[in-house]
Amino acid sequence: MLLLKLAAQDLLTLNARRRMVPHLAARWRYFRGADASLTERSAWAESLVSLANDLVAAGRGNVEMIVECAATLDETERPGDPRLIDVVLVGQHPREHRLSVQLVELKRWSLVTRVEQATAEVVHVPGMGHKKHPALQLREYYEAFTGERGPLDGLAVECGGFAYLHNATDDSVRPLIDIDAPTGPYARVYTNDGRARLLAALRENFAGEGGASAAELLLQRMGLRNTPLLDAMIRSRGDDSVFTLRGRQKDVAEQVLDTAAKVLPDPRQPALIPDERRVVFLVTGGAGTGKSAIGLQIKAELEAQGRSVKYASGSRAFNGAIQEHVGYGDREFRESFTYFHSFVTPPDPPLDVLICDEAHRLRDRSTSRFWRPEQQGTRPQVDELLDASRLTVFFLDEGQTVRPNEVGTVGLIEEAARRNDARLVRYGLREQFRCGGSDAYIRWVRAVLGVTAEAPEQWTPDGLMHVEVADTPEELEHVIRTEAKAGASARMVAGYCWPWTKPLGKEKRLEADVRIGGWHRPWNADSDSFCADGAPPSKIWSVHENGLGQIGCVYTAQGLEWDWCGVIMGEDMVWRGDRWLFRRGKACEGPERGIKRVDTPGSFDPKVRASSVGDDEFARLVRHAYHVLMTRASRATVLYSTDEETRAHLKELVGEVEFHGLRPTWENLPPEARTPHQPRPRRGRRPRRNRGVLGAQEAEARLF
């Protein structure tokens, strides 16, 4: 947990634009569930700015300030309030040339008196009563950061701390600095009298060239930067520990594994009297909260124990990317990933565990236009999934429903569990791991699109996620191609606002359906095989190097992520005056047979724009589609709307973009953040080791 990460000079710029305190207050409300007090807000406005000004005055304006920060994600699981340190200063040590960290407690106290003559561990602050010496707080933080489970454990690091009482003089807070005050590397105290000493200490502890690399390393160690899902799975090849789960994620995984051990038969010693109990886990959480990470981790752990496990999804793009990019050449692994409609006939014997990812994409019935009548499902699809296994795990985000025939809801699964006499266990996830860990960006997107009732505000750069608006599609494509060429993962996606032509001729040529002025690009190939010019089939468009030249949509992007994502908003959703308007498109004949062009701009999604879909439902589905598209990036989203008024509205909401070095281009990223993406593995069966459960010590040291 943290509220803000910016270099000191950027924090001052943000404050000058009157956006720092509102941003911190919104983050506080999200994490703490209550509004920040007036005292807290005024402390941010005064104390943070004082410290940032001192850093700039010391020539250390590039030192990173991480504000209201917990040492680990697990901190939020402690009873009572989490321990949040006011500021963590992060940079490089000027002489040792290694990570340098200073933990800072900011106090606006102007007078402190003694409570006991023999010690200064507890003091009296007029108007506030008895308070601990700040060094005692700093000692707790120091131990949390440098201890065995802390983010600084095992690193070569210079770490200390200090309390800064910028409203006080040395004489007015004498008990805090007397000889009997607490001591330690974290126990220094500076007042306004000692400002010159503070500036000298800042120069002593931090180099002038900045702390971006150091801050990136610390964020990774704190678990606030994730390894992309596909990369993590490829790196785990040959090992059943795929992700390091944290906080609530770990609780969910351990509960599933513990329940499996209790209700499923031991593969080595079948029970004389089988346990007939059935359990359903329902795990809800927004985009990027780690649902797939949990699912893939428990799949690996259960397989290592000899359990029969399948991983089902309603997303062809997600399954295709994993099967092709992770399970290349491994038939057994590929076949363990399947679809919701694969269980019309239940397996015999039933699976031990069925993991259902993206359960919001459940259908009412399992059907296919390619199936004979007797093959079509006749029961609710959710019942088929429950019949397929003894233990079923559903991961669901109702905010990502994008088609009218997608019926997966909390209520649907709860009712199915009751109907099938299964015990239901519910969990909710909140911590954000996509979009750079910026839950502020997720909330901003939802507010901008009207997915929530929260009024949209201008985007506040938080050092975790970046967003900008392009003036032309050419500009958007230039940004995306530049970043991809430099080494980042990047894709262009769009609302379904143009006809979609199937590959043409024997050569399977792709028609440039997405047409904006003189800029024409094809959709990703509607094909199961490669097309002209090496264009990949749709199921691997998201991960194949030749996919960059085509435009993806919500159905080929859902469940996936890239460093940079260019999002083209079409005229299915346009801003007029003070509200969004939603439009259904109409096609006309194109230049040759089989090709259509836009006659009336709007949605061309055949399922969504159908006349049977009511206006309110149509608007909801379009909002959800753009919500999915705008949350696919881990570092930066580039927006463009084909509608001029909408583009102007987005620019107003995004605000000024050139914000010092915060634009996370590959060139601007510190080396620690330039993680090369993993190539597709070579052919060959994945070896599996029978290890213990999630709590094994080495699992803690692996990837998110």
Side-chain angles (χ1 to χ4, degrees):
M1 171 181 170
L2 61 85
L3 300 193
L4 186 67
K5 181 202 78 75
L6 288 177
Q9 61 189 9
D10 294 326
L11 184 143
L12 292 175
T13 302
L14 190 66
N15 183 66
R17 296 176 182 171
R18 300 182 182 277
R19 290 163 64 187
M20 182 188 74
V21 172
H23 170 78
L24 292 171
R27 297 271 286 170
W28 181 276
R29 185 168 60 249
Y30 175 79
F31 280 116
R32 307 300 294 274
D35 288 332
S37 66
L38 182 61
T39 300
E40 193 73 45
R41 290 167 182 255
S42 60
W44 292 331
E46 184 180 343
S47 300
L48 286 176
V49 171
S50 292
L51 179 60
N53 276 323
D54 288 338
L55 283 159
V56 171
R60 300 299 183 263
N62 285 319
V63 169
E64 297 279 337
M65 299 176 65
I66 301 178
V67 179
E68 296 283 2
C69 165
T72 66
L73 291 175
D74 294 337
E75 187 67 35
T76 56
E77 303 300 318
R78 291 177 70 252
D81 290 337
R83 294 172 296 184
L84 300 180
I85 185 167
D86 291 338
V87 183
V88 179
L89 299 180
V90 189
Q92 293 290 331
H93 197 274
R95 296 186 311 280
E96 303 296 333
H97 302 294
R98 59 186 179 185
L99 183 67
S100 182
V101 175
Q102 290 291 311
L103 311 174
V104 185
E105 267 296 298
L106 298 171
K107 302 293 186 186
R108 294 191 297 162
W109 305 344
S110 57
L111 180 65
V112 170
T113 57
R114 284 187 177 277
V115 174
E116 299 180 31
Q117 189 62 35
T119 179
E121 289 196 352
V122 178
V123 295
H124 179 78
V125 180
M128 301 180 72
H130 290 180
K131 293 290 182 180
K132 288 182 179 180
H133 191 291
L136 300 184
Q137 290 177 276
L138 285 163
R139 181 170 65 194
E140 285 189 40
Y141 303 139
Y142 183 86
E143 291 171 351
F145 272 87
T146 62
E148 183 178 346
R149 297 180 62 84
L152 300 180
D153 180 50
L155 289 180
V157 59
E158 296 288 327
C159 183
F162 61 88
Y164 188 22
L165 288 77
H166 50 88
N167 288 333
T169 64
D170 286 352
D171 285 340
S172 68
V173 294
R174 182 61 60 184
L176 298 183
I177 57 177
D178 265 354
I179 193 170
D180 52 1
T183 60
Y186 42 77
R188 289 168 291 149
V189 176
Y190 296 103
T191 68
N192 190 49
D193 286 347
R195 186 169 181 267
R197 289 185 287 111
L198 171 60
L199 267 58
L202 293 173
R203 297 187 189 102
E204 178 75 14
N205 284 286
F206 297 106
E209 55 266 27
S213 289
E216 185 66 30
L217 177 61
L218 184 59
L219 290 178
Q220 291 173 8
R221 301 277 295 195
M222 291 167 64
L224 293 172
R225 290 291 199 205
N226 72 303
T227 300
L229 183 143
L230 295 179
D231 286 353
M233 291 192 70
I234 293 171
R235 290 179 185 175
S236 71
R237 195 170 172 83
D239 195 335
D240 55 277
S241 179
V242 182
F243 302 97
T244 294
L245 304 180
R246 297 179 173 89
R248 190 71 165 164
Q249 295 176 331
K250 187 188 298 183
D251 293 342
V252 173
E254 289 180 339
Q255 183 62 47
V256 171
L257 294 170
D258 184 60
T259 301
K262 292 176 180 176
V263 304
L264 298 178
D266 188 330
R268 295 155 299 200
Q269 292 181 323
L272 294 176
I273 303 177
D275 189 333
E276 298 296 334
R277 289 177 296 174
R278 300 173 67 192
V279 182
V280 174
F281 282 86
L282 174 57
V283 184
T284 58
T289 49
K291 300 184 296 297
S292 296
I294 299 171
L296 293 165
Q297 177 65 43
I298 61 177
K299 174 181 182 289
E301 294 282 351
L302 290 164
E303 287 175 334
Q305 297 172 15
R307 306 291 186 187
S308 59
V309 186
K310 291 271 190 180
Y311 196 101
S313 169
S315 171
R316 194 161 177 263
F318 178 82
N319 271 14
I322 289 181
Q323 289 174 338
E324 182 68 16
H325 206 62
V326 181
Y328 179 69
D330 184 345
R331 180 178 177 181
E332 179 185 353
F333 178 80
R334 291 163 67 98
E335 289 180 350
S336 69
F337 288 86
T338 186
Y339 298 94
F340 295 151
H341 65 226
S342 302
F343 299 95
V344 174
T345 301
D348 186 18
L351 298 168
D352 289 330
V353 181
L354 178 60
I355 301 166
C356 300
D357 204 351
E358 299 199 11
H360 42 273
R361 302 201 66 182
L362 286 170
R363 289 356 187 232
D364 180 38
R365 296 286 188 274
S366 295
T367 62
S368 172
R369 59 192 176 95
F370 301 108
W371 294 353
R372 296 189 301 273
E374 64 271 18
Q375 294 176 306
Q376 309 289 337
T378 58
R379 300 186 301 140
Q381 189 177 76
V382 66
D383 286 355
E384 295 172 355
L385 297 174
L386 292 182
D387 281 350
S389 67
R390 291 281 310 285
L391 192 156
T392 314
V393 185
F394 292 98
F395 294 100
L396 183 145
D397 175 10
E398 292 183 355
Q400 290 196 58
T401 303
V402 294
R403 275 195 166 179
N405 62 344
E406 294 173 354
V407 300
T409 63
V410 169
L412 177 90
I413 294 171
E414 288 177 336
E415 174 57 32
R418 285 194 293 270
R419 189 166 60 244
N420 289 273
D421 196 27
R423 179 180 173 234
L424 181 73
V425 182
R426 282 198 58 179
Y427 281 95
L429 301 172
R430 292 188 62 188
E431 288 286 355
Q432 179 57 236
F433 295 96
R434 189 172 284 147
C435 301
S438 177
D439 54 88
Y441 174 75
I442 300 288
R443 293 199 318 276
W444 180 81
V445 166
R446 293 170 68 85
V448 166
L449 296 175
V451 174
T452 61
E454 188 176 352
E457 298 178 348
Q458 193 176 68
W459 166 245
T460 299
D462 62 357
L464 298 175
M465 185 65 185
H466 175 80
V467 60
E468 58 188 64
V469 180
D471 289 315
T472 65
E474 290 88 351
E475 180 186 339
L476 179 144
E477 182 176 26
H478 174 73
V479 172
I480 296 303
R481 284 189 176 275
T482 298
E483 290 307 304
K485 185 177 179 180
S489 61
R491 282 296 183 272
M492 295 180 289
V493 296
Y496 199 156
C497 296
W498 293 267
W500 199 316
T501 306
K502 290 186 177 295
L504 300 166
K506 291 183 179 180
E507 73 278 16
K508 305 185 77 171
R509 171 175 57 87
L510 299 186
E511 174 64 18
D513 289 314
V514 181
R515 307 173 75 84
I516 306 170
W519 186 83
H520 306 158
R521 295 292 180 271
W523 288 111
N524 62 255
D526 183 2
S527 171
D528 290 328
S529 59
F530 281 85
C531 298
D533 300 319
S538 60
K539 67 179 181 179
I540 61 170
W541 161 82
S542 62
V543 295
H544 196 278
E545 59 183 5
N546 291 344
L548 188 62
Q550 303 102 48
I551 311 298
C553 76
V554 65
Y555 304 117
T556 45
Q558 195 165 30
L560 303 169
E561 65 179 318
W562 307 279
D563 297 331
W564 283 72
C565 187
V567 181
I568 299 172
M569 295 187 70
E571 296 191 40
D572 55 347
M573 183 173 180
V574 296
W575 184 260
R576 292 293 180 265
D578 61 350
R579 68 193 64 190
W580 290 107
L581 296 182
F582 300 88
R583 298 168 167 175
R584 305 175 202 239
K586 183 179 178 182
C588 61
E589 292 300 321
E592 58 183 276
R593 185 178 179 182
I595 297 176
K596 300 288 186 180
R597 291 285 185 259
V598 174
D599 184 15
T600 302
S603 173
F604 278 78
D605 189 325
K607 299 289 186 182
V608 172
R609 70 168 179 168
S611 59
S612 58
V613 179
D615 289 344
D616 289 346
E617 176 70 355
F618 173 71
R620 184 183 73 88
L621 295 172
V622 173
R623 291 183 202 269
H624 282 192
Y626 282 117
H627 173 245
V628 170
L629 296 179
M630 291 169 66
T631 54
R632 295 307 95 193
S634 60
R635 293 198 177 274
T637 299
V638 184
L639 299 173
Y640 170 78
S641 173
T642 57
D643 177 73
E644 185 176 357
E645 186 173 341
T646 305
R647 202 159 58 245
H649 175 62
L650 292 173
K651 282 192 170 185
E652 185 178 339
L653 288 173
V654 169
E656 297 180 52
V657 171
E658 292 305 326
F659 202 63
H660 294 293
L662 290 184
R663 193 167 182 262
T665 62
W666 193 262
E667 180 182 354
N668 283 347
L669 288 179
E672 290 77 7
R674 296 180 189 170
T675 304
H677 296 279
Q678 298 295 298
R680 182 171 66 174
R682 297 178 179 179
R683 287 185 180 273
R685 190 174 183 275
R686 302 160 63 91
R688 299 204 179 277
R689 293 190 293 143
N690 189 2
R691 279 191 6 175
V693 294
L694 191 75
Q697 286 294 317
E698 62 259 43
E700 289 298 319
R702 292 191 61 81
L703 301 167
F704 161 79

